[in-house]
Amino acid sequence: MKGFGILKGLGVTLKHLVDTYVEDIKAGRDRYYTEDGVRQRMTSDTKGIFTINYPEERLPLAEAFRYVPFLVYDEGEDGERSIRCTACGICSKVCPSQCIWIERAEDPETSKPLKTPAEFAIDIDLCMNCGFCAEYCPFDAIKMDHDFELAVYDRIDVNIHRKERLLKPASYYASIRPESYALEQKAKAEVAARKAARRGNR
Amino acid sequence: MNDQTTVMNKNYQKILERFPHDVQVDEREGYSGLLIEANQLLSIMETLRDEYEYDFLTSVTGVDYLPDEKMEVVYHLFKSTGGSILEVKVQVPRSNPVVPSLVGLYPGASFQEREAWDLLGIRFEGHPNLTRILMWEGFAGHPLRKDWIETFFEGDVKPYEDRWPEGKVSKVETTNPYGKNITYPDGFNPETWIPDSEDLLFQGSTVVKVEQEETGIETEQLVVNLGPQHPSTHGVFRMVATLEGETVLDLEPVMGYLHRNHEKIGERNTFSMNMPYTDRLDYFCSMSNNFGYALTVEKLLGEKYQPPERAQYIRVIMAELTRILNHFMAIGFFLNDLGAYFTPALYAIKERELILDIFEAVAGSRMMCNYYRFGGVVRDLPGGIEEQIRKLVYDRLPRQTDEMDRYLVENEIVIGRSQDVGILTPEQAIAFSAVGPVLRASGVPYDIRRADPYSIYDRFDFDVAVRYHGDVYDRFLIRFDEIRQSIRILQQAIDDLPEGEILANKPAYKFRIPKGESYGRVEGPKGELGYYVVSDGTDNPWRYHVRAPSFINLTGLREMCLGEKVADLVAILGSIDIVLGEVDR
Ligand code: SF4
Ligand code: SF4
């Protein structure tokens, strides 16, 4: 029969429409603007309205999610910062878009190079969010941020992130990437224990 | 590996005996294939095609060997019945690079030869329309030549010296302001320039009066530009159609608006830096793009870099998920092109989003995945993801595919608009080097996963989807078939997924890539995605070429459109499923 195919198709859209209301009634108020409601819309048996009302609702970000990089510093007991970066330059070498500029610090008296950056800049207009810098940094000093709301009015100045803007505490890192952080801490503890053991043997 | 080499050598042997004076085996270190004298190219290629069944010329590209003062054209030949590669090369002096055009024998070479002319300045004698295809006429020189220096960039190879240890940040555009970084060809003025060959096209719709020979009646032909700014062209892409009434008399695809010279960038990068750049080719399918590039470079790196089992499975899972999401999108947006405004597309996007959730958790990004590494993948699947994939491939995706099927396949309007429209016969499909769903919908069951298996595809049980009418409707249906086959592969892969390592080597960013060349290809969602890489032993590839399926599938577009109605053009284009990021590179 001509037209049957169209009707069958319309049946599908009708079902979607009905589902929308049925789901809303079933879930009641909890469906929208709650974390559970958002999560439910990400599962494989989601039905009904699928969209997320950003910015009131937000998709939870996966731990691996990467946006632009930031530098990690450890906080000492009395609040002083110790920057993890040793200015080794690896990240600036692996960076595919070559958007990392590092100025290694020098000892003012002997002008010998120091293991810390005097300046560190990333042009996030160029950054392609690939994550290579974080992946290959041997000191876990640079990591990929979750903050993606970086729209600005004037990109020329604002979008070059310099050292002060890049630096974030290790606790922040631990909060956005708890699993990676725990693994790294464990690995570090093991290395430290092995070193201590070797020293003890001698 | 060895078996293959002996079969290969036998083949070579026969050809060498046949043409003792004009064919040599390429014996450069790390190279393979046959070197042919340019003046014998046509007759030898004809013999290869007609007597040795190498009827499928998938890739044509040029290489500039500046130190040897040579230009080389590389042809990658296959049999449309399956089997491994026959690589044929022609070398000509760099001062006068002229090679006979293969368009007469393999029409699929047409766009690729124009590309090689455009980017490398190799002239193909006998090409019916040897004009620039990606760059515009106001461009000076041939950018992929090794002695062509780009004004915009700071150095020939990355990493640049000035980033460390005394890096002083500056915006590139301030040191090299826009507008001052351009050279025009001699005597070229962009203000007054009107392209001679195209002046009709740039003046918008144009009427040409034609007197019909038989009847003496004067009719009007209309030249219409569809695009470049038009939603149905899926990006910035133009079709120049000559119409008589509503019938298409001629059609010329015009592309290059999104050209960024991916290959030049690739040759400036180190090998590993190219991985995230491949994401940006067909930006729907970054996982497949990664896959192809990783395989190609692993071929150069050798056995040591064979990915461990778990990585192999993860790679297949990601690539097949990509195929599913791409085909859902292709179906959805094809319906958009037919005029079913956005409801089907949004149903499709929903499934895609659920797959992208997985990619985000695994790779860190929804679209620019940058997930594969030489020798494996970058990180293991995070907890819970296996379960999520399992639910999708056992429950949701089969269900939703069926629903999509119920929704659209029997729809009389869809059938009326697409059946018997835009036909490509099997012979034409092969001749035009069509690949992927376009080729298979024309009745050629050629799927690289079966025809020339890579990775671990030989372990899975699946059928090669094929349809026989070669019309728009079949190209639409075949995507359903392929989704179903991908689901089958995924179910097996997720069940068999072993534990273990995910990288063959220690994570590294610097690789000692041996000298030589390598052509790797995967069956991407849009067809054969090939990479041709030449290493000269340094950190940066000497040549990096992408055989882009969307680009080459467009070669047959004119043929599909001739004689059709103007309203069908959009449907035909939609059925090929192109992505401009890959067409223009
Ligand atoms: S961020 Fe890491 S890789 Fe980059 S310079 Fe600092 S220590 Fe080296
Ligand atoms: S994310 Fe990639 S592009 Fe961005 S700074 Fe890091 S290495 Fe460079």
Side-chain angles (χ1 to χ4, degrees):
Chain A
M1 192 190 79
K2 262 250 151 50
F4 180 69
I6 295 181
L7 287 179
K8 213 163 88 170
L10 286 176
V12 172
T13 46
L14 185 68
K15 186 170 159 291
H16 275 254
L17 181 78
V18 173
D19 275 349
T20 308
Y21 290 100
V22 172
E23 288 300 306
D24 278 6
I25 293 166
K26 262 202 294 197
R29 279 167 176 272
D30 294 343
R31 193 160 199 280
Y32 301 102
Y33 307 109
T34 62
E35 234 169 80
D36 279 351
V38 172
R39 283 213 181 266
Q40 212 290 321
R41 273 171 272 168
M42 293 173 74
T43 59
S44 65
D45 45 13
T46 173
K47 273 190 199 162
I49 287 188
F50 182 72
T51 42
I52 306 285
N53 296 315
Y54 176 83
E56 287 81 14
E57 292 179 323
R58 277 156 196 273
L59 278 178
L61 293 173
E63 170 158 344
F65 177 76
R66 53 185 146 81
Y67 209 59
V68 295
F70 67 94
L71 288 175
V72 185
Y73 66 83
D74 290 307
E75 293 143 301
E77 309 256 297
D78 42 6
E80 109 268 26
R81 307 187 310 189
S82 94
I83 298 175
R84 287 185 181 180
C85 174
T86 61
C88 71
I90 287 177
C91 56
S92 73
K93 285 185 198 126
V94 298
C95 174
S97 52
Q98 292 291 293
C99 63
I100 305 179
W101 283 260
I102 301 165
E103 201 182 329
R104 192 167 51 192
E106 274 180 4
D107 189 323
E109 276 159 33
T110 63
S111 60
K112 273 205 189 124
L114 295 175
K115 284 191 173 177
T116 187
E119 181 55 285
F120 198 111
I122 299 180
D123 184 344
I124 66 160
D125 281 345
L126 295 184
C127 172
M128 65 199 294
N129 322 110
C130 68
F132 273 176
C133 47
E135 200 175 315
Y136 296 118
C137 170
F139 302 97
D140 292 319
I142 190 166
K143 294 289 171 191
M144 299 303 284
D145 209 338
H146 277 188
D147 180 15
F148 54 87
E149 290 166 321
L150 297 173
V152 290
Y153 286 105
D154 172 23
R155 66 181 186 89
I156 299 289
D157 287 331
V158 185
N159 279 357
I160 293 181
H161 288 192
R162 288 170 202 272
K163 195 168 98 181
E164 277 315 306
R165 162 123 198 215
L166 287 169
L167 280 170
K168 294 191 177 179
S171 55
Y172 172 75
Y173 170 51
S175 72
I176 60 169
R177 294 176 192 273
E179 277 175 39
S180 318
Y181 180 78
L183 279 178
E184 282 160 18
Q185 290 307 105
K186 203 173 129 212
K188 269 182 211 159
E190 271 164 21
V191 172
R194 242 180 291 140
K195 261 192 195 156
R198 235 180 294 147
R199 226 173 284 136
N201 282 345
R202 254 191 252 139
Chain B
M1 188 71 193
N2 274 335
D3 280 359
Q4 238 179 3
T5 329
T6 35
V7 174
M8 205 68 161
N9 285 343
K10 259 192 214 148
N11 251 339
Y12 285 179
Q13 219 49 53
K14 275 193 267 171
I15 298 162
L16 285 172
E17 278 163 23
R18 185 81 184 265
F19 303 98
H21 304 300
D22 304 311
V23 178
Q24 282 175 302
V25 173
D26 188 349
E27 276 166 343
R28 286 171 290 176
E29 189 191 337
Y31 285 70
S32 61
L34 299 172
L35 282 171
I36 295 186
E37 292 299 323
N39 51 12
Q40 289 302 314
L41 179 72
L42 287 180
S43 65
I44 293 176
M45 288 300 252
E46 192 166 359
T47 318
L48 289 177
R49 185 188 70 172
D50 296 339
E51 291 174 33
Y52 295 89
E53 292 171 18
Y54 283 99
D55 53 352
F56 195 38
L57 174 71
T58 65
S59 158
V60 179
T61 187
V63 188
D64 178 6
Y65 287 103
L66 179 62
D68 310 337
E69 283 296 317
K70 287 217 174 96
M71 281 279 179
E72 184 175 289
V73 181
V74 190
Y75 302 92
H76 295 102
L77 281 168
F78 293 91
K79 298 180 182 176
S80 62
T81 46
S84 52
I85 191 170
L86 177 69
E87 212 176 329
V88 173
K89 292 163 200 164
V90 175
Q91 290 192 336
V92 284
R94 202 167 174 280
S95 50
N96 181 28
V98 183
V99 180
S101 165
L102 286 186
V103 172
L105 288 172
Y106 297 95
S110 172
F111 283 9
Q112 303 185 68
E113 286 183 350
R114 280 175 67 187
E115 184 190 328
W117 155 249
D118 189 356
L119 303 182
L120 282 153
I122 301 171
R123 256 181 294 127
F124 291 88
E125 219 156 39
H127 192 292
N129 177 26
L130 195 67
T131 48
R132 289 194 181 269
I133 188 165
L134 296 172
M135 315 300 295
W136 69 309
E137 283 69 15
F139 187 83
H142 301 283
L144 274 183
R145 289 198 168 199
K146 288 288 171 187
D147 51 4
W148 191 91
I149 305 297
E150 210 159 352
T151 33
F152 194 70
F153 282 93
E154 299 136 87
D156 285 341
V157 292
K158 292 174 187 175
Y160 302 141
E161 297 287 315
D162 65 347
R163 296 299 192 263
W164 175 87
E166 276 152 30
K168 294 264 189 288
V169 63
S170 72
K171 285 266 184 203
V172 187
E173 64 256 44
T174 55
T175 48
N176 204 340
Y178 179 69
K180 295 236 165 83
N181 55 1
I182 292 180
T183 354
Y184 293 112
D186 288 338
F188 183 91
N189 182 353
E191 302 299 327
T192 55
W193 174 74
I194 294 181
D196 350 312
S197 60
E198 289 195 35
D199 46 1
L200 274 183
L201 319 176
F202 278 93
Q203 287 155 13
S205 303
T206 312
V207 178
V208 189
K209 293 211 174 10
V210 189
E211 201 177 288
Q212 297 293 358
E213 262 178 39
E214 291 165 20
T215 53
I217 298 173
E218 203 183 60
T219 58
E220 288 181 342
Q221 290 183 359
L222 192 66
V223 179
V224 174
N225 277 294
L226 281 94
Q229 309 285 358
H230 193 276
S232 70
T233 54
H234 295 224
V236 197
F237 174 73
R238 186 154 68 104
M239 292 188 279
V240 184
T242 310
L243 308 175
E244 183 159 310
E246 290 210 27
T247 312
V248 179
L249 294 186
D250 197 4
L251 182 125
E252 167 88 20
V254 183
M255 63 271 263
Y257 299 95
L258 204 62
H259 182 61
R260 54 218 183 264
N261 218 336
H262 183 85
E263 292 174 13
K264 186 84 176 178
I265 299 174
E267 286 163 22
R268 191 180 315 117
N269 283 344
T270 64
F271 280 91
S272 62
M273 281 177 189
N274 272 337
M275 192 60 82
Y277 279 90
T278 64
D279 292 343
R280 279 114 177 127
L281 285 167
D282 170 359
Y283 37 76
F284 289 119
C285 309
S286 58
M287 289 282 193
S288 304
N289 301 345
N290 286 181
F291 201 175
Y293 182 58
L295 284 178
T296 311
V297 178
E298 278 159 16
K299 270 191 195 167
L300 278 172
L301 282 165
E303 289 293 314
K304 239 177 44 208
Y305 284 84
Q306 275 312 303
E309 280 291 287
R310 185 173 171 84
Q312 295 274 26
Y313 275 85
I314 295 179
R315 282 177 167 200
V316 167
I317 291 172
M318 295 306 150
E320 293 307 315
L321 284 173
T322 305
R323 191 182 319 278
I324 293 176
L325 79 80
N326 179 75
H327 285 352
F328 263 111
M329 293 295 278
I331 291 167
F333 279 93
F334 169 67
L335 261 292
N336 249 19
D337 293 342
L338 291 188
Y341 200 63
F342 266 112
T343 308
L346 284 174
Y347 289 179
I349 285 174
K350 207 157 144 180
E351 307 318 310
R352 169 172 178 253
E353 287 303 313
L354 289 171
I355 296 174
L356 292 187
D357 284 341
I358 292 174
F359 288 177
E360 183 180 331
V362 171
S365 183
R366 298 174 86 78
M367 289 176 78
M368 302 297 124
C369 294
N370 183 22
Y371 183 55
Y372 294 44
R373 295 288 177 273
F374 308 140
V377 294
V378 54
R379 68 179 76 74
D380 208 340
L381 304 179
I385 285 296
E386 265 174 61
E387 202 41 46
Q388 212 171 320
I389 298 175
R390 191 181 292 277
K391 274 194 197 140
L392 275 186
V393 300
Y394 271 103
D395 176 36
R396 172 139 190 134
L397 290 174
R399 182 157 41 88
Q400 296 304 114
T401 315
D402 290 345
E403 188 190 87
M404 211 59 167
D405 188 324
R406 248 195 337 277
Y407 178 31
L408 301 170
V409 168
E410 286 174 34
N411 187 308
E412 283 83 359
I413 301 173
V414 173
I415 295 176
R417 286 287 317 269
S418 59
Q419 227 164 31
D420 294 326
V421 172
I423 292 179
L424 197 66
T425 65
E427 296 75 31
Q428 286 171 337
I430 294 173
F432 280 112
S433 308
V435 287
V438 178
L439 178 67
R440 290 189 288 272
S442 288
V444 184
Y446 189 88
D447 183 322
I448 303 170
R449 291 173 295 171
R450 275 276 185 267
D452 184 14
Y454 55 94
S455 186
I456 52 165
Y457 277 106
D458 47 0
R459 298 187 195 169
F460 300 111
D461 203 11
F462 69 98
D463 301 319
V464 173
V466 61
R467 296 260 168 181
Y468 296 94
H469 299 103
D471 57 3
V472 171
Y473 190 54
D474 272 8
R475 286 197 280 278
F476 162 68
L477 290 182
I478 200 161
R479 302 217 153 83
F480 284 97
D481 304 342
E482 294 198 359
I483 291 177
R484 296 200 165 102
Q485 295 307 327
S486 288
I487 293 176
R488 267 175 83 186
I489 298 176
L490 279 166
Q491 291 176 343
Q492 297 164 47
I494 197 84
D495 282 346
D496 299 347
L497 178 66
E499 292 297 321
E501 293 294 314
I502 46 131
L503 205 56
N505 43 300
K506 278 218 187 94
Y509 59 93
K510 245 187 155 161
F511 293 86
R512 276 198 38 93
I513 312 256
K515 274 189 189 167
E517 57 162 10
S518 149
Y519 182 72
R521 52 181 198 151
V522 291
E523 184 68 42
K526 295 186 170 65
E528 171 173 343
L529 172 67
Y531 292 87
Y532 178 68
V533 174
V534 175
S535 160
D536 61 350
T538 58
D539 291 344
N540 310 71
W542 179 258
R543 181 78 175 96
Y544 163 79
H545 172 69
V546 183
R547 185 239 180 259
S550 302
F551 173 64
I552 295 164
N553 278 349
L554 284 174
T555 321
L557 179 66
R558 177 174 179 272
E559 203 58 37
M560 292 183 217
C561 293
L562 291 188
E564 301 293 353
K565 299 277 181 270
V566 61
D568 297 329
L569 295 185
V570 169
I572 296 172
L573 182 69
S575 74
I576 303 178
D577 183 21
I578 57 166
V579 158
L580 271 302
E582 186 178 78
V583 173
D584 293 343
R585 280 157 297 146

